[in-house]
């Protein structure tokens, strides 16, 4: 039984984990992560996002090649490819819909990563991939954009926290 963590520990303790044990993740656990991803806000509550779960080794290999050979995509126990449903959002919001659907997908991705960490899983957001190859491999409709390939597995590494930028460079107060 994995103890659920304090919220601040979940936020601060999450790392991009790219090495995994050779041990599967149950379908129920992946489904619970997706339910938690749906806790994310969504423009107009359209929930203009889709989730494609991949465990098939050949498809993982194909997606790893599409991601320029990134090994976490091949070696993960499961992948959740989070996509923006651009059409769904554009029907209501026109040009702005494409940005909204990408933001919908990104917000869900973040929630899924936190939920995974909270369950003791390792996960990594892979965003560097060839859209067209991923789209073809997954047979996505033309106006569905893959946003993140989330690799999931029981962790086989504990990465150190990355360098932080000075907040003074990033924050401007208008008071
Ligand atoms: C939009 C986006 C794209 C990313 N793409 C990749 C990627 O293609 N490959 C990878 O290994 N990590 C990728 N990452 C993970 C970052 O490298 C990682 O979040 C960053 O180094 C900070 O480390 P942390 O997640 O452990 O805090 C991506 C993260 C984001 C938000």
């Amino acid at each position: 039984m994995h103890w659920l963590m304090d919220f601040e520990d979940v936020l601060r303790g999450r790392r991009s984990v790219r090495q995994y044990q050779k041990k599967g993740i149950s379908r129920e656990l992946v489904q619970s992560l997706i339910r938690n991803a749906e806790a994310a806000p969504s423009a107009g509550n359209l929930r203009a996002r889709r989730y494609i779960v991949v465990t098939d080794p050949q498809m993982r290999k194909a997606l790893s090649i599409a991601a320029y050979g990134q090994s976490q995509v091949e070696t993960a126990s499961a992948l959740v490819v989070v996509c923006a449903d651009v059409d769904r959002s554009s029907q209501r919001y026109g040009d702005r819909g494409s940005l909204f659907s990408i933001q919908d997908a990104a917000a869900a991705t973040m929630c899924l990563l936190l939920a995974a960490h909270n369950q003791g899983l390792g996960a990594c957001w892979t965003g560097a991939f060839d859209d067209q190859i991923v789209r073809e491999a997954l047979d996505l409709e033309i106006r569905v954009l893959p946003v993140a390939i989330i690799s999931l597995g029981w962790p086989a590494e504990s990465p150190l926290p990355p360098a932080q930028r000075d907040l003074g460079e990033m924050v401007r107060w208008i008071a």
Side-chain angles (χ1 to χ4, degrees), residues 14-16 18 70 72 124-128 162:
R14 182 209 57 80
R15 294 276 68 80
S16 290
R18 301 176 177 86
Q70 296 191 71
Q72 72 272 11
C124 183
W125 175 331
T126 294

Side-chain angles (χ1 to χ4, degrees), residues 1-145:
M1 168 76 193
H2 179 77
W3 296 104
L4 297 184
M5 283 177 254
D6 176 74
F7 181 63
E8 295 260 328
D9 291 340
V10 177
L11 273 182
R12 291 168 191 277
R14 182 209 57 80
R15 294 276 68 80
S16 290
V17 174
R18 301 176 177 86
Q19 286 177 39
Y20 313 105
Q21 300 167 35
K22 286 191 185 6
K23 180 176 144 193
I25 307 174
S26 72
R27 187 176 270 251
E28 291 69 33
L29 185 49
V30 176
Q31 253 157 358
S32 84
L33 298 180
I34 294 173
R35 265 196 300 278
N36 283 333
E38 278 299 301
S42 161
N45 198 31
L46 286 179
R47 296 169 187 273
R49 50 196 175 218
R50 302 214 194 151
Y51 306 90
I52 297 161
V53 182
V54 177
T55 55
D56 175 68
Q58 279 181 335
M59 184 59 84
R60 285 193 270 122
K61 174 80 184 163
L63 293 175
S64 164
I65 292 168
Y68 313 108
Q70 296 191 71
S71 63
Q72 72 272 11
V73 176
E74 185 177 358
T75 59
S77 303
L79 304 172
V80 179
V81 185
V82 186
C83 302
D85 189 340
V86 180
D87 244 0
R88 184 171 170 82
S89 200
S90 298
Q91 278 165 17
R92 188 185 298 176
Y93 295 115
D95 287 348
R96 193 82 182 155
S98 112
L99 176 63
F100 281 167
S101 60
I102 293 167
Q103 290 172 325
D104 267 27
T109 298
M110 187 65 234
C111 287
L112 202 150
L113 292 176
L114 291 175
H117 177 56
N118 193 44
Q119 292 290 340
L121 285 163
C124 183
W125 175 331
T126 294
F129 52 77
D130 183 309
D131 287 353
Q132 200 47 39
I133 299 178
V134 170
R135 198 181 255 125
E136 276 166 28
L138 298 176
D139 199 20
L140 298 178
E141 291 136 75
I142 197 83
R143 302 263 296 158
V144 172
L145 179 73

